[in-house]
Amino acid sequence: MGRGRVELKRIENKINRQVTFSKRRNGLLKKAYELSVLCDAEVALIIFSSRGKLYEFGNVGITKTIDRYQRCSFTPQDEQHVECETQSWYQEVSKLKAKYESLQRTQRHLLGEDLGPLNIKELQNLEKQLEGALAQARQRKTQIMIEQMEELRRRERHLGDMNKQLRLKLESEGFNLKAMESLWSSTSAAGNTAFPFQPPQTNPLDYQTEPFLQIGYQQYVQAEASNVPKSMACETNFMQGWIL
């Protein structure tokens, strides 16, 4: 008796569903292996269970087969679209390159370089551009100088206000400059007349009460050079050694 036809729908029983998945999965993997061996075909099989578990088979490698599939999945329309897009990008790059070269050439002209290929009209336009740029630069310089002058004037007014405030503060506290000068002059005059008597200047040697011994041969040598006898010279040197 043959097996009856199985209705294709989700198996409600969890255990039966798991058993059916295991059997049919193994059969599918076996059929993929047999197909790759018998027919020399490149087969790749990927299975995910309901729990997220991965089962795979690839006779030459899953990654290699997927890359080959991506290369072969492009249709002629996709290839044409890619070619058109590439051509559009190439044209855009060409436009940007031409614009860049034009800007570089204009910059050289503004710097006074590579002026040979220019005609009279182009040179006149270049002259007008330079004059306009020079006028704008001078206008900006004048504006900056005016702003700096205004800032300096503002600081001057601020410092003047601070000076006035300090002067008012000093006058309110009674420290007037003229009063201080008069007070200083009167104090100096009083200091000069307070001690009119000046002590006489005396020689410090007059207050020495103790003898001072001086030992040396300078006076003795001078005495020998003179006409005084040696005995008187020795006595003179000895007496001069003691200074009262």
Side-chain angles (χ1 to χ4, degrees), residues 82-118:
V82 171
E83 185 178 357
C84 293
E85 187 175 358
T86 304
Q87 187 69 19
S88 176
W89 281 111
Y90 178 77
Q91 293 177 359
E92 187 69 21
V93 171
S94 299
K95 291 180 181 179
L96 292 175
K97 185 177 180 180
K99 187 175 182 180
Y100 175 72
E101 292 177 355
S102 176
L103 291 174
Q104 278 190 335
R105 186 167 55 254
T106 304
Q107 183 180 6
R108 290 195 300 270
H109 292 166
L110 292 174
L111 294 176
E113 301 175 356
D114 195 12
L115 299 178
L118 300 180

Side-chain angles (χ1 to χ4, degrees), residues 188-203:
S188 300
N192 293 330
T193 58
F195 301 97
F197 176 76
Q198 297 292 337
Q201 296 181 357
T202 57
N203 190 0

Side-chain angles (χ1 to χ4, degrees), residues 56-155:
E56 63 179 8
F57 169 78
N59 58 337
V60 295
I62 297 294
T63 305
K64 186 176 180 181
T65 305
I66 291 175
D67 292 340
R68 184 176 179 182
Y69 167 75
Q70 290 179 352
R71 288 194 303 269
C72 296
S73 62
F74 287 105
T75 61
Q77 294 180 356
D78 296 335
E79 293 179 358
Q80 186 177 2
H81 177 70
V82 171
E83 185 178 357
C84 293
E85 187 175 358
T86 304
Q87 187 69 19
S88 176
W89 281 111
Y90 178 77
Q91 293 177 359
E92 187 69 21
V93 171
S94 299
K95 291 180 181 179
L96 292 175
K97 185 177 180 180
K99 187 175 182 180
Y100 175 72
E101 292 177 355
S102 176
L103 291 174
Q104 278 190 335
R105 186 167 55 254
T106 304
Q107 183 180 6
R108 290 195 300 270
H109 292 166
L110 292 174
L111 294 176
E113 301 175 356
D114 195 12
L115 299 178
L118 300 180
N119 53 22
I120 298 298
K121 187 175 181 180
E122 291 176 347
L123 290 174
Q124 289 178 354
N125 293 331
L126 179 61
E127 185 179 3
K128 290 180 180 180
Q129 292 180 2
L130 291 174
E131 288 178 354
L134 183 60
Q136 292 180 0
R138 288 175 177 174
Q139 183 179 1
R140 179 56 182 167
K141 183 184 71 173
T142 305
Q143 182 180 359
I144 293 175
M145 293 177 64
I146 292 174
E147 291 177 356
Q148 291 180 355
M149 290 176 63
E150 292 293 334
E151 180 65 20
L152 292 174
R153 290 174 182 174
R154 187 185 63 80
R155 293 177 60 183

